[in-house]
Amino acid sequence: KTLFRTKVSGMRIEKKAAKSFGRRLRQLRQERGWSQEELSTRADISKNYIGEIERGENNVSIHYIARLAAALSVTMEEMFHGL
């Protein structure tokens, strides 16, 4: 299960990374007992976009990752922990 192969289970590397990041974001949000709407408000990111990120539908930019990390009170490194 490495992100450095050209394909993983038929998925392109970018899609695999986006899905992994989305799962991590959902985990951090749920640990706090927050809804997507709560995270959306705290990070000033649309609720729809939060959902898309969590489902791995978007390759989120570093700008949004920083906003999410600040809202969740975690470091950027913690956003990627376990991926």
Side-chain angles (χ1 to χ4, degrees):
K1 277 179 82 169
T2 178
L3 295 178
F4 298 107
R5 290 190 220 152
T6 55
K7 292 197 177 205
V8 179
S9 302
M11 255 190 275
R12 292 193 47 86
I13 187 171
E14 296 86 2
K15 189 68 172 172
K16 177 72 174 175
K19 285 193 170 289
S20 293
F21 183 81
R23 283 191 299 271
R24 176 65 176 152
L25 177 60
R26 181 176 288 127
Q27 175 191 17
L28 291 167
R29 176 180 60 77
Q30 290 177 338
E31 284 173 359
R32 286 152 182 77
W34 295 352
S35 65
Q36 287 181 348
E37 187 169 1
E38 177 70 18
L39 178 56
S40 167
T41 299
R42 290 174 181 258
D44 194 26
I45 299 172
S46 82
K47 183 178 64 165
N48 290 337
Y49 193 58
I50 298 286
E52 291 171 6
I53 295 168
E54 287 188 357
R55 291 188 301 274
E57 296 174 358
N58 284 308
N59 289 320
V60 61
S61 72
I62 196 75
H63 172 78
Y64 284 109
I65 294 170
R67 287 167 68 175
L68 290 163
L72 292 161
S73 298
V74 298
T75 65
M76 296 281 283
E77 181 180 357
E78 289 172 296
M79 293 294 293
F80 293 94
H81 179 76
L83 299 187

